[in-house]
């Protein structure tokens, strides 16, 4: 059983307003990625909220997702990963792997997530490959849950992936490097519409 954790707790400080609520192709970035995650059939789909949760929650409350609150969101992405893992371990102990997704990658597809699952194996990390690097979305076997729960800082799971580089399998994600950090990034999305 694979669960999906969508990390959406950041304050969007570089953007200036909650980028989770930016509308792209008639849906917010977060709504789009939730629908993509739900279409995989993976359960549960957990959204980690933190900063601006009062503004973001109304946009997703009718969707069949579970919400985990990261009260330490200002610590960075690692705190959101910990919040997602804690929620999983408390409520879904039988989960054998999770996919960590970001809310601001507009070109993630259901097919990409299913590909991560298809090529994963026991004790494996399955990451997307783009721009000569590996990154999210990333699938972690439950073997790594204890280490994910110990992450610190704003680099997310990068340090864990470097530590276990020999166990990483990759799936190509050509548009994986496109994420929305600034208003200029969002303007450039129009080129792909």
């Amino acid at each position: 059983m694979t669960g999906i954790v969508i990390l959406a707790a950041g304050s969007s400080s570089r953007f200036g307003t909650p980028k989770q609520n930016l509308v792209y192709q008639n849906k917010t970035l977060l709504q789009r990625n939730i629908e993509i995650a739900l279409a995989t059939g993976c359960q549960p789909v957990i959204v980690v909220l933190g900063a601006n949760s009062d503004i973001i929650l109304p946009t997703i409350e009718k969707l069949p997702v579970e919400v985990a609150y990261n009260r330490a969101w200002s610590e960075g992405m690692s705190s959101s990963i910990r919040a997602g893992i804690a929620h999983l371990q408390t409520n879904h102990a039988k989960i054998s792997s999770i996919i960590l997704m970001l809310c601001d990658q507009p070109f993630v597809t259901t097919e990409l997530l299913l590909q991560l699952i298809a090529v994963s194996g026991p004790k494996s990390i399955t990451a997307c490959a783009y721009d000569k690097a590996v990154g999210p979305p990333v699938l972690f076997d439950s073997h790594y849950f204890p280490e994910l729960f110990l992450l610190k800082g704003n680099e997310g799971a990068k340090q864990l992936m470097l530590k276990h580089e020999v166990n990483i399998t990759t799936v190509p994600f050509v548009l994986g490097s496109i994420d929305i950090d600034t208003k200029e990034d969002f303007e450039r999305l129009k080129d792909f519409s």
Side-chain angles (χ1 to χ4, degrees):
M1 291 173 57
T2 299
I4 298 180
V5 175
I6 302 174
L7 306 174
S11 66
S12 308
S13 58
R14 283 187 280 173
F15 198 87
T17 60
K19 60 186 176 181
Q20 297 89 331
N21 285 356
L22 291 174
V23 175
Y24 177 60
Q25 297 181 345
N26 303 315
K27 293 187 179 94
T28 70
L29 292 178
L30 183 54
Q31 288 167 343
R32 284 174 56 81
N33 276 353
I34 287 172
E35 290 181 6
I36 285 161
L38 290 169
T40 63
C42 292
Q43 286 292 328
V45 174
I46 299 165
V47 178
V48 180
L49 295 181
N52 305 306
S53 59
D54 55 331
I55 300 169
I56 299 163
L57 186 61
T59 71
I60 64 168
E61 60 190 355
K62 292 183 179 167
L63 296 169
V65 295
E66 298 177 22
V67 176
Y69 290 97
N70 174 12
R71 307 209 186 291
W73 59 266
S74 61
E75 183 192 317
M77 195 181 300
S78 294
S79 63
S80 289
I81 294 171
R82 292 196 312 268
I85 294 292
H87 182 93
L88 266 179
Q89 292 182 323
T90 302
N91 301 290
H92 304 280
K94 294 185 178 174
I95 291 292
S96 58
S97 59
I98 60 161
I99 294 173
L100 295 179
M101 288 177 66
L102 306 179
C103 71
D104 65 351
Q105 285 182 300
F107 297 112
V108 172
T109 63
T110 299
E111 293 71 28
L112 177 69
L113 300 180
L114 291 173
Q115 202 175 354
L116 289 173
I117 295 166
V119 302
S120 67
K123 295 189 179 180
S124 71
I125 298 170
T126 310
C128 291
Y130 43 87
D131 281 358
K132 299 179 183 170
V134 295
V138 183
L139 182 146
F140 288 92
D141 179 83
S142 60
H143 173 77
Y144 299 100
F145 288 5
E147 287 183 82
L148 286 168
F149 195 70
L150 295 173
L151 292 174
K152 303 277 185 206
N154 197 35
E155 287 201 344
K158 190 176 189 178
Q159 50 203 307
L160 181 58
M161 292 167 68
L162 289 170
K163 180 180 173 184
H164 297 287
E165 203 168 359
V166 295
N167 298 331
I168 295 178
T169 304
T170 60
V171 167
F173 179 17
V174 176
L175 297 176
S177 61
I178 298 170
D179 62 3
I180 310 303
D181 287 325
T182 64
K183 290 185 173 161
E184 291 74 23
D185 293 339
F186 189 56
E187 283 300 309
R188 280 194 289 272
L189 263 190
K190 293 173 183 169
D191 298 339
F192 294 92
S193 298

